[in-house]
């Protein structure tokens, strides 16, 4: 890898560290290619990505970034799982770690906040952006359906009273 390629990689990593809602750092010693492809596919499906980079270049890219605190985690064979959604990458990494003993989460960062292993697990248990949006949409729709039911209720009550009066008259 020549100097220009290294500079380009550092720039790419710097953008990842700046724009990501969460970055999870893990060791992946012993994972097969198929297992790594599975991890990448899961991350892609959740709106995230997986990146393996040289630790030295990643540390250079971290300088001056909000998540600079994770530089200490970059030792050995590390993989970065990241996403714009502050929860997606943590969920993917946590689920994959439960199924695969060779994938060991070291920690991560959520903006300026450094996360240890327990922090990554806590973030992974939070609802995702889509889940929160659907919950809010449901809450917004509930009052409207209640109003519609309340408006329609008097008409149905009048109809049932009229049918009772007709039955008595007959």
């Amino acid at each position: 890898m020549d100097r220009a390629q290294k500079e380009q990689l550092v720039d790419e990593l710097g953008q990842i560290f700046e724009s990501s809602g969460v970055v999870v750092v893990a060791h992946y010693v012993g994972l097969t290619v198929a297992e790594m492809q599975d991890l990448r596919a899961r991350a892609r499906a959740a709106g995230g990505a997986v990146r393996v980079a040289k630790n030295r270049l990643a540390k250079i890219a971290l300088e001056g970034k909000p998540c600079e605190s994770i530089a200490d985690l970059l030792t050995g064979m590390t993989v970065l799982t990241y996403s714009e959604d502050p929860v997606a990458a943590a969920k993917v990494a946590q689920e994959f770690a439960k199924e695969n003993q060779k994938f060991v989460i070291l920690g991560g960062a959520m903006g300026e906040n450094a996360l240890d292993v327990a922090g990554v697990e806590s973030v992974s248990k939070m609802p995702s952006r889509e889940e929160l949006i659907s919950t809010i949409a449901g809450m917004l729709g509930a009052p409207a359906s209640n109003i519609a039911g309340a408006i329609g209720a008097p008409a149905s009550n009048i109809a049932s009273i009229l049918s009772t009066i007709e039955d008595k008259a007959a």
Side-chain angles (χ1 to χ4, degrees), residues 47-143:
V50 175
R51 185 72 184 253
V52 176
K54 290 188 174 234
N55 292 333
R56 188 172 43 84
L57 296 176
K59 286 179 182 180
I60 293 169
L62 274 169
E63 291 175 7
K65 302 297 185 281
C67 56
E68 190 172 4
S69 57
I70 65 171
D72 297 337
L73 301 175
L74 298 172
T75 58
M77 292 179 63
T78 55
V79 62
L80 304 171
T81 308
Y82 58 92
S83 65
E84 284 185 32
D85 182 349
V87 179
K91 279 188 181 206
V92 169
Q94 192 67 32
E95 289 172 11
F96 193 76
K98 284 180 183 176
E99 298 171 12
N100 229 311
Q101 300 300 322
K102 299 171 191 167
F103 187 79
V104 180
I105 296 175
L106 303 175
M110 189 176 198
E112 294 181 3
N113 302 321
L115 303 171
D116 58 355
V117 178
V120 172
E121 184 177 352
S122 297
V123 169
S124 73
K125 291 179 181 175
M126 294 170 58
S128 69
R129 182 181 298 162
E130 288 78 22
E131 292 169 343
L132 287 174
I133 289 171
S134 66
T135 302
I136 291 170
M139 289 177 166
L140 291 175

Side-chain angles (χ1 to χ4, degrees), residues 7 21 23 27 32 40 44 48 51 54 61 67 76 95 113 127 130 140 146 152 154 161 165 167 169:
E7 287 175 359
V23 178
H27 278 158
T32 64
R40 288 177 196 276
R44 198 175 316 110
R51 185 72 184 253
K54 290 188 174 234
C67 56
E95 289 172 11
N113 302 321
E130 288 78 22
L140 291 175
N146 290 344
I161 291 171
I165 292 172
D167 290 342

Side-chain angles (χ1 to χ4, degrees), residues 148-162:
I151 290 172
S156 66
N157 289 344
I158 291 172
S160 66
I161 291 171
L162 289 175

